[in-house]
């Protein structure tokens, strides 16, 4: 059957090769992850000068560090001498500088080359020019977003614009004050599936009644298969007997101070391509960062964000964490179950999308355009 033979109710997906082929993933690395704004770290995780995190973005290892001036900076994690990785640990702290463990070339927190064996005998070496290669960085919603492109795309159009496209305006997300919230719990998931399967799963709720019993108890409309992202500005309403966004529907915490009355008792889901999911509920925010590492492996870091008062007072966040932790595990298990079938001859030309999933085709068209451009 060709795509022209499909019933009007069905739309074709991407072919299976797009989820298994190393060359396709290589194009996604070079033309998507290395060209777009990519959410790297929670800014508050680097509170003092010298604190750093190492993240993998596309094919590049990137260091994000707090400078002595208090600002965040990002650099490629590569020594300019012979190309050794400067930092191999995922996070840490340096006092004043990074030193390459191979030949001891040393860089200050602004990336400038400040020392190397026999450097004084090479006065023609420009210490800024041979400093660490900088990476563009913007802070928003309490996270550091980086872009490897020489000329990054508009942050306002690509990142903020995705929020406007989903919610209708920026004010709607500003009311949650994400930059003032604190991490109450963080869970990292190592998912044996292609990143696109995870995005597609998050974008639809046709599966919700089947695999998310706890979520559909809290958000009954999800049982009908229509995701919260289906309509601009729509938030899924809590069930009548539900008191909070918790695993058993019991009461959560006080509403975040800025959340409007029409946002209360509602759940909003957003996708910021290529690698961020944001979940807004009245008393906390759930923020996913994806790190695609291979055509069949994606690391997802999930932060549960609460007010400073909730975190510092040691209040029990387990019931609100457990709800979406179960959702994550259920979703990722489904993606891992799907990944092996992507190489089957039965999926060589792809599958189909039903009407409540038709909006996913726009994501497929976007990916195809990016990697073919």
């Amino acid at each position: 059957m060709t795509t022209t033979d499909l019933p009007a109710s069905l739309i074709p997906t991407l072919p299976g090769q797009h989820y298994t082929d190393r060359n396709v993933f290589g194009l996604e690395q070079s033309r998507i992850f290395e060209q777009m704004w990519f959410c790297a770290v929670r800014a508050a995780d680097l509170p003092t000068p010298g604190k750093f995190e190492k993240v993998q973005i596309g094919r590049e290892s990137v260091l994000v560090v707090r400078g002595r001036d208090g600002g965040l900076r990002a650099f490629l994690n590569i020594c300019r001498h012979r190309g050794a990785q400067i930092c191999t640990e995922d996070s840490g702290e340096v006092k004043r500088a990074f030193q390459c463990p191979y030949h001891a070339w040393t860089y200050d927190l602004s990336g400038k080359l400040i020392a190397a064996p026999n450097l004084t005998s090479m006065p023609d070496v420009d210490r800024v020019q041979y400093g660490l290669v900088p990476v563009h960085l913007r802070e928003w919603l309490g996270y550091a977003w980086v872009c490897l492109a020489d000329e990054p795309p508009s942050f306002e159009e690509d990142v903020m614009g995705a929020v406007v496209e989903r919610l209708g305006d920026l004010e709607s997300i500003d009311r949650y004050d994400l930059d003032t919230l604190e991490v109450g719990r963080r869970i990292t998931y190592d998912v044996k599936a292609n990143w696109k399967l995870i995005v597609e799963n998050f974008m639809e709720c046709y599966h919700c009644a089947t695999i998310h019993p706890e979520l559909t108890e809290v958000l009954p409309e999800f049982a009908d298969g229509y995701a919260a992202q289906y309509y601009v500005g729509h938030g899924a309403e809590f069930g009548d007997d539900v008191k909070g966004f918790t695993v058993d529907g019991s009461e959560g915490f006080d509403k975040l101070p800025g959340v409007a009355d029409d946002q209360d008792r509602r759940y909003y889901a957003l996708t910021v391509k290529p690698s961020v999911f944001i979940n807004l509920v009245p008393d906390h925010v759930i923020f996913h960062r994806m790190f695609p590492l291979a055509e069949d492996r994606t690391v997802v870091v999930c932060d549960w964000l609460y007010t400073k008062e909730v975190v510092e007072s040691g209040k029990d966040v387990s019931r609100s964490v457990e709800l979406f932790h179960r959702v994550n595990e259920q979703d990722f298990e489904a993606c891992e179950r799907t990944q092996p079938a992507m190489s089957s001859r039965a999926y060589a030309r792809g599958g189909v999308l039903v009407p409540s999933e038709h909006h996913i085709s726009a994501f497929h068209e976007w990916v195809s355009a990016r990697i073919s451009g």
Side-chain angles (χ1 to χ4, degrees), residues 54-95:
K54 175 174 69 74
V55 294
Q56 188 70 27
I57 300 175
R59 298 162 296 180
E60 295 286 1
S61 177
V62 176
L63 289 176
V64 182
V65 61
R66 180 74 65 182
R68 296 188 64 78
D69 60 358
L72 288 178
R73 293 179 176 82
F75 306 98
L76 297 184
N77 183 26
I78 301 296
C79 181
R80 299 297 306 281
H81 172 220
R82 297 270 295 281
Q85 274 205 356
I86 294 172
C87 294
T88 55
E89 59 269 41
D90 291 335
S91 62
E93 182 175 11
V94 294
K95 289 185 177 180

Side-chain angles (χ1 to χ4, degrees), residues 145-173:
W145 306 66
V146 301
C147 183
L148 298 175
D150 292 336
E151 297 184 8
S154 167
F155 189 88
E156 288 71 20
E157 291 180 9
D158 279 16
V159 178
M160 295 180 175
V163 173
V164 173
E165 182 179 350
R166 169 65 185 92
L167 297 179
D169 54 50
L170 286 178
E171 289 75 16
S172 293
I173 198 168

